[in-house]
């Protein structure tokens, strides 16, 4: 582990930007202090148990209240994109697994916030805010990842129930979640117009964890199987056939926060690289004295600021202007994740062999950033979204 403290004046400078109000500035400072004082993640421990513990810890401290509206145990009247981004950036700068635990509480319950009945909101959201219930978002399938409209997992009406059959895969929190927001084909119309969403409790008969999936940056991940899984119609989110719309609305809110997480990883990598450059002695001088190192640091710092501007512009436009930010959030997600990969790679290069030692901060960042370029819409998909929005506006 590195000896440096993630918090410094440079990391807090962005909070002075006009995108934020004083509440956001306090939020960022208070969470940073809390992380420094309280967040001690053991990356060699059992990942499932660690994530469960992190959710409970974040809940007790009140941070998860920003994942749900105040009417159901949350901190604010409605989901605030800037708050979510500040929280995720700060958590990611300290520890990626803590960011994951926080993010999935928001993403996993976001569809309930947006489209759930009052009864569903009351049943699930307060427990999400307190960390008592762990949420999951079940959208992807073996043959329907980026192409959501190609999903095959189905739900057939049967009296006052629906019967679910099929599979979901790459489901974060799979295996530890208490409930899943599941998107399935109900067939009201072809393609995306025939999808509905349901809240399915983890202990519902017919729902099983078919496979646990190990990935380069460990976190709970699984393939779910539904076999004649009966779910009450009252568990449906919104109207039948509106599931795709609910999924996209949920992703639109949280996509900018993925960019913020990547930004947190990049800031930490820049901090690590600066500390290494200043302390590493080579050929009678420090690594920082070499012009090649200075050029790399200049590129890294510029990428970090550019990513931050794109990320918080998207969040500000949604929160303050009330604008639809599909294009802006896609730009932020695409640029922030891609540039963070480059920033982290350059930081690791400054460490030489020490940078690829298992458990080193930059080695962990290198593994953690890679998945962000894929999940919640791969980079290539973001480019298509941006182009589609441009052509629509033209």
């Amino acid at each position: 582990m590195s000896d440096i403290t993630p918090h410094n004046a440079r990391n807090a400078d962005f909070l002075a930007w006009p995108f934020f109000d004083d509440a956001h500035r306090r939020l960022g400072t208070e969470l940073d202090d809390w992380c420094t004082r309280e967040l001690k993640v053991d990356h060699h421990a059992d990942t499932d148990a660690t994530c469960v513990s992190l959710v409970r810890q974040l809940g007790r401290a009140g941070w998860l209240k920003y994942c749900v509206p105040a009417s159901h145990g949350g901190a604010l009247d409605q989901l605030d994109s800037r708050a979510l981004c500040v929280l995720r950036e700060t958590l990611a700068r300290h520890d990626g697994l803590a960011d994951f635990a926080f993010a999935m509480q928001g993403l996993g319950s976001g569809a309930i916030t947006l489209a759930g009945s009052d009864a569903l909101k009351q049943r699930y959201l307060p427990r999400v805010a307190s960390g008592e219930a762990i949420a999951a978002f079940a959208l992807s399938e073996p043959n329907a990842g980026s192409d959501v409209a190609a999903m095959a997992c189905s739900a057939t009406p049967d009296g006052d129930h629906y019967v679910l059959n099929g599979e979901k895969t790459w489901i974060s929190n799979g295996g530890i979640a208490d409930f899943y927001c599941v998107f399935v084909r109900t067939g009201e119309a072809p393609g995306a117009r025939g999808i509905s969403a349901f809240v399915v409790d983890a202990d519902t008969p017919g729902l099983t964890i078919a496979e646990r999936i190990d990935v380069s940056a460990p976190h709970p991940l699984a393939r779910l199987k539904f076999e004649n899984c009966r779910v009450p119609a009252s568990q449906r989110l919104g109207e039948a056939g509106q599931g795709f719309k609910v999924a996209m609305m949920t992703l639109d809110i949280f996509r900018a926060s993925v960019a913020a997480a990547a930004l947190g990883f990049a800031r930490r990598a820049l901090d690590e690289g600066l500390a290494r450059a200043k302390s590493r002695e080579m050929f009678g001088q420090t690594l920082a004295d070499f012009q090649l190192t200075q050029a790399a640091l200049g590129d890294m710092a510029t990428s970090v600021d550019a990513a931050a501007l794109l990320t918080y512009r998207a969040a500000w436009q949604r929160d303050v202007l009330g604008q639809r930010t599909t294009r802006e959030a896609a730009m932020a997600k695409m640029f922030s994740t891609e540039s963070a990969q480059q920033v982290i790679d350059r930081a690791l290069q400054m460490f030489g062999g020490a940078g690829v030692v298992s458990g080193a901060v930059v080695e962990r960042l290198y593994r953690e950033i890679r998945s962000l370029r894929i999940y919640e819409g791969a980079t290539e998909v973001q480019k298509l979204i941006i182009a589609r929005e441009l052509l629509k506006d033209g």
Side-chain angles (χ1 to χ4, degrees), residues 11-34:
N11 283 328
D13 282 349
F14 77 97
L15 289 171
W17 292 353
F19 295 124
F20 307 102
D21 58 30
D22 288 342
H24 297 113
R25 297 181 181 103
R26 286 194 299 271
L27 182 64
T29 301
E30 289 171 3
L31 178 58
D32 189 84
D33 291 342
W34 180 85

Side-chain angles (χ1 to χ4, degrees), residues 162-330:
Y162 280 82
V163 180
L164 277 60
N165 283 284
E167 292 187 355
K168 294 291 177 181
T169 194
W170 307 114
I171 306 306
S172 293
N173 276 349
I176 68 168
D178 294 291
F179 67 87
Y180 299 85
C181 287
V182 184
F183 298 83
V184 291
R185 182 163 300 286
T186 44
E188 289 77 15
R193 292 177 296 164
I195 294 170
S196 300
F198 296 86
V199 185
V200 183
D201 291 322
D203 59 359
T204 304
L207 167 57
T208 57
I209 305 300
E211 177 188 12
R212 295 302 302 271
I213 303 170
D214 294 325
V215 289
S216 55
H219 67 271
L221 198 67
R223 177 168 60 91
L224 314 181
K225 190 169 185 178
F226 299 89
E227 293 183 290
N228 297 319
C229 178
R230 291 178 60 82
V231 177
S234 59
Q235 294 288 104
R236 193 180 66 208
L237 295 167
E239 298 299 320
Q242 295 296 305
F244 181 80
K245 180 181 178 181
V246 171
M248 294 305 104
M249 288 170 59
T250 305
L251 291 173
D252 267 358
I253 291 174
F254 289 96
R255 187 164 281 144
S257 78
V258 180
L263 178 58
F265 290 151
R267 284 198 201 275
R268 182 63 183 270
L270 177 57
D271 287 348
E272 298 286 336
L274 278 168
R276 175 69 170 183
K278 292 176 180 178
S279 63
R280 175 63 167 167
E281 295 182 357
M282 296 180 64
F283 305 111
Q285 55 186 342
T286 66
L287 187 60
D289 292 320
F290 290 93
Q291 287 186 333
L292 280 173
T293 304
Q294 294 169 17
L297 290 170
D299 286 340
M300 292 160 72
T302 302
S303 291
V304 166
D305 270 17
L309 287 164
L310 282 170
T311 299
Y312 289 109
R313 177 192 69 165
W316 174 80
Q317 283 184 270
R318 180 187 178 276
D319 291 343
V320 177
L321 302 184
Q323 293 179 350
R324 180 171 167 268
T325 57
T326 300
R327 180 179 67 181
E328 291 78 9

